[in-house]
Amino acid sequence: MSTVAFVGLGIMGDPMARHLVAAGHDVVGHNRSPEKTRPLVDAGGRAAGSVAEAVDGADVVALMLPDSPDVTEVLTGQVFDVAAPGTLIVDFSTIRPDVARDLAEQAQARGLRMIDAPVSGGQAGAENAALSIMVGGAEADVADARPLLDAVGTTVVHVGPPGAGQTVKAANQLIVAGNIALLAEALVFLEAHGADLPAAVEVLGGGLAGSAVLNQKAQRMLDGDFAPGFRIDLHHKDMGIVSEAARSAGVVTPVAALVAQLVAATRAAGDGGLDHSALHRTVTRLNGDTP
Ligand code: NAP
């Protein structure tokens, strides 16, 4: 069993850290807002007042932070200076693939090891330890991280070298945003026709239109329940990663560009703190109605 420093105990990091405790690991959590360490401590973990305090004595440093600058600041400004040689860094955050590759190289140059392990499955997946985890890194490092990854996920796949996990995660975020946008349009369309919406959702879910997005988001859209979940602000960040990574590879992604604009419009309308299912509010506005 490992001693795990876990930095970033938000919507995803909190339940993931508690699952690591349940799997028998000694977990020392740190979060910018210190009150978020409380559930971890109640579950049998420990709280640290700083990143350095959490990392001291840890075999593994796990990160679940919002964005590339957050991960870069925590690693280069704090973890890299205090982690013991050989420490394994597992970055669960969703960040830019090029930043992940660069940080893994910097870690290696300092005698540390780093893998990128972004996740999919949402808040429910984190709470049920049922995440899908796309892992980029060296074979031996991924093998060493496996017990930790298996404690929070059910589909854990090594997809390539450092950064590869983030590339697959960017594709994941494109597919999810596109699905949500189409689901929102379909529901507004059905409503305009006076369709029986719960009946329509039930039968759509059993055919080719069925999806995890439909299962998790349709009812929320019908109820107007947009509490996060996965915030529009974070999906806006991810659509930026998709468009930048597509551009750098010379890949043309017209639907991604359109969906990125819909996500940006949702944010511009003041809905950045809502769940990404709030794309339904943007589609409602586009149709001349007030959500
Ligand atoms: P979140 O709820 O905002 O959690 C992020 C946490 O990191 C917050 O508690 C924040 O503290 C903390 N933090 C930020 N900077 C810090 C620092 N320098 N030191 C210590 N703690 C710091 O976000 P989330 O939804 O868990 O998402 C985290 C990552 O997972 C993102 O990259 C996201 O794209 C990805 N993701 C999210 C979901 C989802 O459904 N939510 C699904 C898959 C992947 P404060 O409380 O002070 O802000």
Side-chain angles (χ1 to χ4, degrees):
M1 291 305 159
S2 307
T3 299
V4 182
F6 205 114
V7 183
L9 300 169
I11 287 175
M12 300 295 282
D14 165 44
M16 291 169 72
R18 287 186 282 111
H19 283 303
L20 294 179
V21 172
H25 301 286
D26 176 21
V27 182
V28 189
H30 171 72
N31 193 77
R32 188 172 52 193
S33 318
E35 67 276 7
K36 288 193 185 170
T37 56
R38 173 54 53 194
L40 174 64
V41 171
D42 289 346
R46 296 186 281 143
S50 67
V51 172
E53 186 189 330
V55 171
D56 185 27
D59 314 305
V60 177
V61 177
L63 306 178
M64 195 39 153
L65 297 166
D67 201 352
S68 305
D70 307 303
V71 173
T72 301
E73 193 275 316
V74 166
L75 287 182
T76 63
Q78 301 174 76
V79 174
F80 284 174
D81 291 335
V82 291
T87 300
L88 178 61
I89 299 165
V90 179
D91 183 21
F92 290 114
S93 326
T94 302
I95 66 170
R96 284 169 33 192
D98 59 323
V99 173
R101 270 192 301 275
D102 179 52
L103 289 170
E105 278 171 19
Q106 290 189 52
Q108 193 180 20
R110 290 167 171 265
L112 306 171
R113 304 176 294 148
M114 178 168 173
I115 64 172
D116 45 301
V119 308
S120 180
Q123 186 178 14
E127 281 169 1
N128 298 324
L131 293 166
S132 184
I133 311 182
M134 28 227 113
V135 191
E139 194 76 51
D141 299 340
V142 175
D144 285 352
R146 195 90 203 182
L148 295 177
L149 303 176
D150 286 339
V152 295
T154 45
T155 306
V156 179
V157 181
H158 184 196
V159 294
Q166 297 294 354
T167 302
V168 176
K169 174 66 183 180
N172 183 86
Q173 292 308 85
L174 168 57
I175 295 168
V176 171
N179 261 287
I180 291 177
L182 282 175
L183 176 63
E185 283 188 18
L187 292 183
V188 169
F189 163 85
L190 286 166
E191 196 172 9
H193 281 280
D196 178 336
L197 294 175
V201 167
E202 182 185 349
V203 71
L204 289 173
L208 201 53
S211 67
V213 163
L214 186 137
N215 291 344
Q216 291 185 28
K217 304 296 182 186
Q219 194 57 50
R220 298 183 63 146
M221 291 182 187
L222 296 182
D223 293 345
D225 170 13
F226 300 117
F230 185 69
R231 287 180 286 119
I232 282 286
D233 281 340
L234 289 174
H235 221 137
H236 180 68
K237 174 249 316 179
D238 292 345
M239 295 314 290
I241 292 172
V242 169
S243 49
E244 186 56 40
R247 188 185 179 91
S248 71
V251 178
V252 179
T253 53
V255 178
L258 175 59
V259 174
Q261 290 297 309
L262 291 171
V263 174
T266 310
R267 188 165 181 264
D271 289 347
L274 300 183
D275 188 71
H276 50 175
S277 50
L279 270 172
H280 184 268
R281 287 168 56 84
T282 294
V283 176
T284 301
R285 284 187 203 98
L286 286 172
N287 281 281
D289 292 324
T290 304

